[in-house]
Structures are given as C-alpha cells and as structure tokens.
Amino acid sequence: MHLLGPSLLLLEYLAFSDSSKWRFEHPHTLYSWDGACVWIPCHYAIPGRKDDLENLTLYSNYEYDDTTKNFNGHILYEKTKPWGNPHTPERVQFPGDQRSNCTIRINPVLEQDNGWLGLRLITKTDKWMEKIDLNVSKTPLSPHIQLPPEIQESQEVTLTCLLNFSCPGYQIQLQWSLEEPAVTSTSLTTKTVFTQSKLTFQPQWTHHGKNLTCQLWGPKAKQILSEETVLLDVKHAPKEVTMVIQNPTRIQEGDTVTLSCNYSSSNPRVTRYEWNLQGSWKEQSPGVLIIQKVAWDARPIACAACNQWCSWAPSVNLDVQHAPKDVRVQQISPPSEIHSGHRVLLGCNFSSSRPRDVRFFWKKNGIFLKEGKELSFDSISPEDAGNYNCLINNSVGQTMSEARRLQVLYAPRMLRVAISPKDQVVEGKKAVLTCESDANPPIFQYTWFDWNNQNLHHYDQMLRLDPVKIQHSGAYWCEATNQLGRVQSPPSTLTVYYSPETIGRRVAVGVGFCLATLLLAFWGVKLQRSWKRIRSQQGLQESSSGQSFFVRKQKVRRAPLSEYPHSLGCYNPVMEEAISYATLRFPFSETDTPRTGDAGTLETEGPSPNRDDTVTYSVLQMCQAGDYENVLPDSPEDEGIHYSELVHLGLGKRPLAQEAVEYVTLKH
C-alpha cells in the first residue's frame, strides 16, 4: 500500500469535462483498511446548472465497454430520481444532494474495495464518470512521523504523527511514546483527509539515539492497530566529559603524568580536544595528554571535547605530593623590637605540604635546638641573638626555612679600654686607646676621660696619642651611649717610658752637673786658699810703713790669633786659667836678696815680717781658644782682665799724685 503525505494529499484531482465542463472536487486518493470505513468528501458542479441530477451510481473497479459505449462494473451504490431510499446495502451511504454535494461514506470498507471507484452522474442532457482512487489495505494503516530537518538540544521542536485516514464514526487515537502532551486533529476536506497528532517539546541530549514511536489505537478495547518508530537524531555538544589520571600511583613533584579526556555522547562526533594547563605538555594522541615534570603547585586541569560545540570536563586536581613549601620563621611576640629580658615566641609556618602530616625542628646558627612548632624564650638575652632556621619534613621530603636574624636590643655592656700596641709604650711612639663594647643598637657616642676624671672632649671610639709623651702616662676610661643607655668602662692605665735619647740627654746633663759641681768645688777650695793668702798679705801690708806705689800696666798688642795654636775640644779652665800673684819687697838694706814665691813669682824677703813692704800683682788670663769644640774668638786681641795694684806697705802717707788704678775691660 502506498502512503501519501499531506503534500500529496494537497494535490487535488479536479475533473473537468472538456465539452460539458463538469467540475468535481475530491481527494485524489483515499486510504483505509479492511473493516474500517472510508469517507469521501466530494463536491460537483453541473454544467450551466440548468438540469438537475437524474441518476447517481457508484461503481467499484469499473471498466468502459467500447462496444456498448457504457461502463461496466460492480455497483456499490445507485440512486435515481425521484430520490427515495436506495436499493443498495447500507454500508454505502450518500449524505450528499443532487446539486453540489457528492460525499460518500462506505462503512465498513472491504479489502476487495481496493482499487478505484467510479461516480456516474447523469442529467437529462449530460452525463459524467468521475474516477476516485481507493486504497484499502488488509491491515490498518501506519502513521507517519514527520521530523524537522535538524533537532538541536534544548531547542523547541514540533513532531507530527500523520495518518492519512479519517472517518466519522470510526474512533481512532494517535499516541506518542514520549510522555509529553500532544495535540490531535483531523481534516475532512475535498483536498485532504487525515488525522494528525503534534508533539511539541525541548529535546535533551539523552533523547539522541532513542526510538520515538507513534501508535494507532483502534476503537475496540484500546488495541494498538499500528505504529511507526523513528530514531531521534538530536544534535548536541559532547556530554559527560571527564578527565582521568592514568598514573597508577600517587603523583609526586617532578613525575610524568598521563591524562585522558573522555565523554559519553556527542552528535556529531568529537573532532578535537582542548586543555587548560600551564607548563610543558604534549598531546600524545587525541584526548591523551602527557605532562613532563609536573610542578608541586600544578593548578587543577580541565579538558574539553569539541564538535560544533565544546564541552569542558570538571577540573581535576592532580594532588601532587611534595615536601613542605614556603617554610618560614614567624615572630609571634613581641610584634616589634626585641629588647633584652623580653619574652619572645617564634613560630614555624608553611604554605603547602602533601601530605599534611609534618614534623617541626629548630636550628640556631646551624646547630640543632629542639623539635616543635614553636620556639620560646622566657627572658631573652643578647647571647640568644643569631640566625634561626626551622625545618619541616613529611613522607616526601624535608624543607628548611631561610635564616631569620633574631636581633636583641640592649644597652652597652662589657665596656673596656684596649690599648694598642700595648699598655706600656716608649715616648715618641704611637698609642691607640680603643673603647671596646657590646651594644645593639650600635653606640653612637663615645666620651673619653683621663685619670683626673677630666673630659677630654674626644667622642670617637679610638683615642690616638701620636706621638705619645711622658705626661700621657695615667689611667683612662671611656663612656659609651646608645638609644637604650649609657655605661662607663673601668679605667685602664697607660705607662710611658723614656726613650733612649731622653735617657742619654738626662745622663749627659747629670754628668755635666756633677762635673760642674766638682769644678765649682775645686775652684771654691782654691779661691778659699787664695783669699786666705791675700788676707794674710793685707795684714802684713797694714803693718808696713805705709809706703806704696802703683804700677801701670800697658796693653801690649799680641800677635794675630792664627799664630797661636788652636785648642781642640773643651778646655779645662782649671788647667788654662790661673791667677798669678807676685810680691815686691822694698828692701831697707842693700843686703836683701830675692826669693821665689807662690805661683812661680819672685818674692823679696825683708829683715822683718812686720816691715814687709810688698806689691801684690794679680793677672787673670783667658784662654785664646773658644769655649767648645774649635770655636775661635772673634777678636785676636788679649781677652784677659788685668788688674794691678802696687801698694807700698808702710806707715807713711801715700803720695796723692801717684795713686792710680787702671782696669782693663774683658771683650768677647
């Protein structure tokens, strides 16, 4: 049995008489099945509308006889004017009229009715045979499901279940396999005869590949007469996209990781894959990704399967196992500067560790201290300052933090004065006094004091004595100041010794002083003796007759100084300079004889000591050489001091005209 769609049913068969211009309107082909019925909607027009219809006959599978010039066949229905009850079985009915309606109903229609029908209309002046195709199948007709050209996921579509059959009085029902509301309608026109059900819904990707069935239910016992099934082709993006880690064991930092991108459904098929990850990777095959040396902080990775659309899989965290990361020492308290004596608490923190089960250890300056997450000091001291590290390990590895410098602030302490090169130096050398101390923050001012507690107004750390002198000997101390306090050092003593040169000079001065003392003593003795002698002589003179005379000594020009031998070195004044004494005696008798006196002078003896008329003559003669080391005098003249006196020791008066004394001046 051939089924025609609505488009074919819309094609009307219009029969026109070329000569008489009969006009008919009815479906070209009518469909039914054995035991059902058929309704033939029909309209006609008699030419000129002058005559009424005289006879109407319905033939089944008629044939034209050229001999008799008439139609022969099985008559299903016949009606003649006057229009009374038809003489045909009741299964064919003519609910039309004699002017325009030629509708026919056959109930039940039989399989042998399959073929064509002939509707013979006769008037007084004209006649016409109209052919109507009738397709009667043995089994019920199957509905036809009409689909749109493309069905996309979540886009509303309308599906139509069409049955080219409709007959009033014969109740049928079209039902869909989808549990969605549908709208059923029928059409009984001269153009189309059908029953249809329209299903409007939003298909999901799960409908793709599923069977969709439209069933024809009959009027008896709700039995299924026929059905049609189609396979839904729902266009959709890839569905249930997932990413799977192919590594058999847990991933550790630096491992090679293999990932696959899977999906459950895609229409059309997947043509490419996309990945969102950083670092080095390559796609080994479509949907299979290899990551070389995975990082410990690898971000979650997702993949997408794409056809016309791309569908992303949920992100997958690789959960890379790694040693603790970003290990650091944190100062919990105090929040700011640490002063000596404060309570200090340090903590060891980290940002990431896989697995999370970790242990904590502490080191100071590379030496192990203790185990624990926190390190506390009840009363911190400067000795606790240093570089602190904390170590955290897990089953994968161990990580040590960067060293944290723990600074303890305190006032100056352990202050002392260090003397360089040593605390005993020789004058003329250099001595450096350094004020050594321990302080944090550093000392910003030093003050120096001497043994008299006198501020030296020197504010540097070092006090330089260059050159050092004897008077620098003594105790020194310093005072150091920072932001936290001021402290004084104990005194340190600097001892300065004489240099060999100074010692030599002082020895020379001492020896010279001793020699001068000895010389003065020697001269003192000699002068004392000379004084005694002079006093004794004056006593004799006073006892003489008082006669006296004066001798005037004339200055004699000496030869130039160059004629005298030069003296070398220092001369001995004891040996060079001398006082000469001479005594002149005036005899009272001619028998007096001269004799030798003191100092190699001539002395004349008298008959009586009480009558000793003498002249005392003295000369002080200076050496012609200079005082020291070949230094010659400027003037070659006689540099001596001459003093002479002639005394006539007697009792008489001295002549006034003859008394005179001449002094000679010493020139240098």
Side-chain angles (χ1 to χ4, degrees):
M1 179 179 61
H2 179 66
L3 297 178
L4 295 179
S7 58
L8 295 178
L9 294 178
L10 294 177
L11 298 177
E12 301 295 333
Y13 176 78
L14 299 178
F16 294 98
S17 174
D18 293 337
S19 58
S20 303
K21 296 181 181 181
W22 285 79
R23 188 176 66 182
F24 282 84
E25 293 182 0
H26 59 81
H28 182 271
T29 304
L30 295 169
Y31 298 91
S32 188
W33 60 90
D34 185 49
C37 69
V38 63
W39 181 276
I40 305 173
C42 178
H43 288 275
Y44 69 96
I46 299 175
R49 291 194 176 273
K50 296 178 180 180
D51 299 330
D52 292 332
L53 187 62
E54 297 288 336
N55 181 271
L56 183 149
T57 305
L58 181 63
Y59 291 90
S60 174
N61 296 321
Y62 67 92
E63 291 182 356
Y64 181 71
D65 188 356
D66 290 332
T67 303
T68 62
K69 303 297 181 180
N70 201 356
F71 293 96
N72 298 322
H74 179 66
I75 298 175
L76 296 178
Y77 178 81
E78 182 176 9
K79 192 174 184 179
T80 306
K81 187 179 180 180
W83 302 102
N85 293 327
H87 300 286
T88 58
E90 293 183 354
R91 77 183 189 98
V92 179
Q93 297 177 2
F94 181 70
D97 55 34
Q98 292 79 23
R99 287 192 174 272
S100 62
N101 189 355
C102 57
T103 300
I104 300 173
R105 181 177 184 270
I106 303 175
N107 185 21
V109 67
L110 303 177
E111 182 181 1
Q112 55 266 29
D113 295 333
N114 181 53
W116 61 91
L117 298 176
L119 183 59
R120 181 70 170 174
L121 300 180
I122 300 174
T123 64
K124 290 181 180 182
T125 59
D126 202 359
K127 53 186 176 181
W128 184 261
M129 174 65 79
E130 180 67 20
K131 183 180 179 181
I132 302 173
D133 292 331
L134 179 62
N135 192 330
V136 180
S137 62
K138 183 177 180 180
T139 60
L141 296 175
S142 295
H144 176 66
I145 299 176
Q146 295 179 339
L147 300 176
E150 183 177 275
I151 301 175
Q152 290 188 13
E153 177 188 16
S154 300
Q155 291 188 3
E156 186 176 88
V157 294
T158 299
L159 307 181
T160 302
C161 181
L162 178 66
L163 181 65
N164 292 326
F165 171 85
S166 181
C167 183
Y170 192 88
Q171 298 296 324
I172 60 172
Q173 186 177 3
L174 297 175
Q175 292 185 358
W176 294 90
S177 59
L178 290 178
E179 294 182 359
E180 299 287 344
V183 177
T184 303
S185 62
T186 60
S187 176
L188 289 171
T189 66
T190 57
K191 294 181 179 180
T192 59
V193 174
F194 62 84
T195 300
Q196 69 177 8
S197 177
K198 289 185 176 292
L199 177 66
T200 301
F201 74 112
Q202 289 185 343
Q204 302 300 317
W205 70 272
T206 53
H207 293 143
H208 174 69
K210 297 293 182 66
N211 291 328
L212 178 64
T213 302
C214 181
Q215 297 175 338
L216 173 63
W217 291 68
K220 296 180 180 180
K222 295 292 182 179
Q223 61 180 0
I224 299 175
L225 300 180
S226 65
E227 64 181 12
E228 185 179 60
T229 300
V230 295
L231 193 66
L232 289 177
D233 184 15
V234 181
K235 304 296 183 183
H236 61 274
K239 298 298 177 180
E240 296 181 351
V241 181
T242 58
M243 191 173 65
V244 179
I245 301 174
Q246 302 292 337
N247 292 50
T249 59
R250 304 200 72 172
I251 302 170
Q252 290 191 7
E253 181 180 2
D255 286 352
T256 298
V257 179
T258 302
L259 305 172
S260 63
C261 192
N262 303 327
Y263 63 93
S264 62
S265 177
S266 176
N267 186 29
R269 66 181 184 85
V270 171
T271 57
R272 61 188 175 89
Y273 295 88
E274 293 184 2
W275 308 85
N276 69 333
L277 75 161
Q278 298 176 350
S280 175
W281 59 276
K282 66 177 181 179
E283 195 170 18
Q284 186 179 30
S285 61
V288 178
L289 182 74
I290 294 180
I291 304 175
Q292 302 286 348
K293 296 181 179 180
V294 64
W296 69 268
D297 57 348
R299 295 181 179 179
I301 301 174
C303 70
C306 303
N307 47 26
Q308 297 174 233
W309 311 275
C310 288
S311 297
W312 287 91
S315 297
V316 173
N317 190 348
L318 298 182
D319 193 24
V320 180
Q321 303 294 294
H322 59 271
K325 299 295 181 180
D326 192 22
V327 178
R328 61 196 179 277
V329 176
Q330 181 180 5
Q331 179 178 320
I332 300 175
S333 66
S336 57
E337 296 179 342
I338 300 175
H339 290 192
S340 179
H342 280 179
R343 185 181 185 278
V344 178
L345 182 62
L346 301 180
C348 187
N349 293 327
F350 63 97
S351 62
S352 177
S353 175
R354 293 289 186 276
R356 297 285 297 182
D357 186 16
V358 296
R359 298 177 65 188
F360 300 86
F361 302 92
W362 288 91
K363 284 185 177 182
K364 176 187 176 183
N365 299 329
I367 301 174
F368 174 78
L369 288 179
K370 59 169 290 188
E371 180 178 354
K373 186 174 182 180
E374 294 180 346
L375 181 64
S376 62
F377 302 88
D378 292 334
S379 179
I380 198 165
S381 66
E383 286 71 24
D384 294 323
N387 294 321
Y388 287 82
N389 302 85
C390 72
L391 297 88
I392 306 178
N393 64 16
N394 58 14
S395 60
V396 177
Q398 176 174 279
T399 305
M400 183 170 67
S401 71
E402 291 186 359
R404 182 183 180 92
R405 179 67 180 173
L406 188 64
Q407 293 192 6
V408 180
L409 303 181
Y410 51 93
R413 62 172 192 160
M414 296 187 293
L415 204 64
R416 74 182 190 94
V417 175
I419 302 176
S420 175
K422 54 186 178 179
D423 58 359
Q424 296 178 351
V425 295
V426 178
E427 65 170 338
K429 301 296 184 180
K430 179 177 69 173
V432 178
L433 283 70
T434 304
C435 189
E436 295 181 348
S437 65
D438 180 22
N440 190 20
I443 294 170
F444 63 83
Q445 179 176 316
Y446 295 88
T447 307
W448 287 90
F449 299 87
D450 63 8
W451 54 94
N452 293 323
N453 286 337
Q454 181 179 358
N455 191 336
L456 300 180
H457 299 290
H458 187 80
Y459 303 102
D460 292 333
Q461 185 178 7
M462 292 187 295
L463 176 63
R464 300 178 184 273
L465 302 176
D466 187 14
V468 68
K469 300 178 182 179
I470 293 294
Q471 54 268 34
H472 289 153
S473 294
Y476 293 85
W477 57 276
C478 65
E479 183 180 81
T481 305
N482 69 357
Q483 286 87 344
L484 300 181
R486 177 181 300 170
V487 178
Q488 295 178 350
S489 72
S492 294
T493 302
L494 173 66
T495 303
V496 182
Y497 292 103
Y498 287 111
S499 65
E501 293 81 2
T502 302
I503 294 174
R505 284 196 299 269
R506 288 182 174 266
V507 170
V509 171
V511 172
F513 178 76
C514 292
L515 291 177
T517 303
L518 292 175
L519 183 60
L520 290 176
F522 175 76
W523 278 100
V525 172
K526 290 200 70 173
L527 289 176
Q528 185 179 12
R529 291 178 180 177
S530 297
W531 177 254
K532 289 180 180 180
R533 187 179 298 112
I534 292 172
R535 292 294 297 173
S536 62
Q537 289 177 359
Q538 286 179 353
L540 292 176
Q541 289 176 358
E542 290 176 357
S543 62
S544 66
S545 60
Q547 296 178 356
S548 63
F549 66 92
F550 294 88
V551 179
R552 183 174 182 180
K553 180 180 179 295
Q554 298 293 332
K555 185 179 293 185
V556 179
R557 178 68 64 179
R558 298 182 181 177
L561 186 60
S562 60
E563 296 177 3
Y564 290 83
H566 293 189
S567 298
L568 299 177
C570 294
Y571 67 91
N572 190 344
V574 178
M575 302 299 294
E576 294 291 331
E577 296 180 359
I579 301 175
S580 302
Y581 299 91
T583 304
L584 298 181
R585 183 184 299 271
F586 295 90
F588 287 94
S589 64
E590 294 180 359
T591 61
D592 293 338
T593 60
R595 62 181 177 87
T596 304
D598 294 335
T601 61
L602 295 177
E603 190 178 285
T604 305
E605 294 182 0
S608 174
N610 295 330
R611 198 181 175 277
D612 189 7
D613 297 331
T614 62
V615 175
T616 301
Y617 176 77
S618 63
V619 178
L620 174 61
Q621 185 176 1
M622 302 297 292
C623 179
Q624 299 301 318
D627 292 342
Y628 298 96
E629 299 183 4
N630 301 328
V631 180
L632 300 180
D634 294 335
S635 175
E637 296 181 355
D638 187 5
E639 298 296 334
I641 299 177
H642 301 276
Y643 170 79
S644 63
E645 182 180 6
L646 181 61
V647 180
H648 184 205
L649 301 177
L651 298 176
K653 288 186 179 181
R654 299 177 183 175
L656 297 176
Q658 298 299 325
E659 292 181 356
V661 178
E662 181 177 351
Y663 294 89
V664 179
T665 305
L666 173 63
K667 296 181 180 179
H668 294 281

